[in-house]
Amino acid sequence: MAYSESEIIANLKTISQRVSEACVRAGRDAGSVKLCAVSKFHPGEAVEACIKGGQFLFGENRVQEASEKFPVIFENHPEVKLHIIGQLQTNKVKNAVKIADTIQSVDRLDLIREIEKQAAKLEKIINIFLEVHTGEESKSGFENEDEVRKALTFIAEGNAPHVVPRGFMTMAPFTEDTVLVRKSFVILREMAENLRKEFPQFDLSELSMGMSGDFEIAVEEGSTMVRVGTSIFGERQY
Ligand SMILES: *Cc1c(COP(=O)(O)O)cnc(C)c1O
């Protein structure tokens, strides 16, 4: 069921409260975690409700849907930023680059080449997160640290001047087993720690991890950005 405007605003408050509490448990600054509101399958009105609640960062999975929903939102609220978080086909990159501030779901070198090509045409800088496959069940993401290293090396060698790597993203496996979920987040954090040392020329500070079902664990393991949909907007009607 979709929520009303006041329910959405109340949900935002509850989530930032829970994020703050997880920060306290982990001895972290409450302001060190950003919330990306995942509005996929929810209408523009739900996004508008969120904005009234003070939320300006949104995530969408599908470029087509985001391209229908967000241009009017950008017109009314120039401060809104959109992140693409879903698997991205090469032929969708052109439109993704038009609307997105950041592409979080960068999972292969060819995608970086295409983002560079399209961003150069628009003379736009695109931030990216490298998505890493850390769990058993999820299939997207670079397979291992070495693949991520190759992608960062490609950028470091000057091949993608319009692409700025900002950090890493992962999805934990969908399971009740919190040990497995936590393990997935730890893998991403440790990989990030290694790669930050190897690529000091980049600011790779972002760790995008944690969704409705697991964001508190993610915060305890160092997440700097949680991507929450259902707990804000309600169940999606596919
Ligand atoms: C849908 C989605 C989310 C949000 O999931 P919820 O469980 O609804 O919070 C986060 N990240 C990605 C990559 C998604 O596709």
Side-chain angles (χ1 to χ4, degrees):
M1 275 293 291
Y3 290 128
S4 69
E5 179 178 301
S6 58
E7 285 170 316
I8 286 173
I9 293 172
N11 291 341
L12 282 173
K13 284 216 178 90
T14 306
I15 287 158
S16 50
Q17 186 66 35
R18 286 170 58 190
V19 167
S20 297
E21 285 163 11
C23 281
V24 169
R25 283 198 297 278
R28 301 181 55 192
D29 237 2
S32 61
V33 183
K34 293 182 272 292
L35 171 63
C36 177
V38 179
S39 50
K40 66 187 184 201
F41 290 95
H42 294 285
E45 294 80 65
V47 174
E48 290 282 354
C50 245
I51 292 168
K52 276 199 189 152
Q55 175 66 30
F56 298 105
L57 171 58
F58 294 89
E60 286 275 343
N61 263 43
R62 297 183 313 164
V63 175
Q64 175 72 31
E65 180 186 346
S67 301
E68 287 162 14
K69 204 184 298 180
F70 272 84
V72 58
I73 290 166
F74 292 140
E75 248 170 61
N76 297 331
H77 310 280
E79 66 276 49
V80 163
K81 290 209 181 344
L82 178 66
H83 287 197
I84 296 295
I85 61 173
Q87 238 185 0
L88 187 54
Q89 291 169 274
T90 307
N91 63 2
K92 302 280 164 56
V93 170
K94 184 178 177 190
N95 286 332
V97 163
K98 273 187 202 151
I99 54 173
D101 167 84
T102 300
I103 298 174
Q104 293 201 12
S105 39
V106 172
D107 60 357
R108 58 195 190 276
L109 189 54
D110 276 351
L111 195 54
I112 297 175
R113 291 185 215 274
E114 186 64 16
I115 294 169
E116 170 57 30
K117 183 173 146 194
Q118 300 299 340
K121 278 189 203 161
L122 296 181
E123 297 182 40
K124 184 175 176 181
I125 298 293
I126 295 287
N127 299 312
I128 65 164
F129 295 174
L130 291 309
E131 181 178 358
V132 183
H133 179 196
T134 57
E136 299 291 304
E137 288 148 71
S138 88
K139 289 189 191 77
S140 48
F142 285 99
E143 275 305 317
N144 55 54
E145 187 169 319
D146 211 44
E147 295 295 310
V148 182
R149 182 174 290 111
K150 278 184 200 151
L152 287 170
T153 302
F154 177 81
I155 302 170
E157 287 172 348
N159 297 304
H162 298 82
V163 175
V164 179
R166 296 282 184 193
F168 307 91
M169 185 269 244
T170 199
M171 285 213 274
F174 296 100
T175 166
E176 301 281 297
D177 184 346
T178 59
V179 173
L180 273 184
V181 170
R182 192 178 292 276
K183 199 170 134 200
S184 180
F185 296 145
V186 170
I187 289 172
L188 192 71
R189 187 190 64 220
E190 290 179 345
M191 196 179 291
E193 284 162 3
N194 294 339
L195 292 166
R196 282 172 192 146
K197 282 188 212 129
E198 287 177 44
F199 296 92
Q201 66 270 57
F202 297 137
D203 174 9
L204 299 170
S205 50
E206 299 287 358
L207 273 187
S208 173
M209 52 191 206
M211 305 171 35
S212 290
D214 57 21
F215 70 84
E216 284 151 313
I217 301 173
V219 169
E220 287 167 16
E221 295 304 339
S223 171
T224 65
M225 185 180 293
V226 295
R227 308 177 308 269
V228 179
T230 309
S231 295
I232 298 172
F233 297 108
E235 296 292 337
R236 292 178 279 273
Q237 307 291 317
Y238 292 104

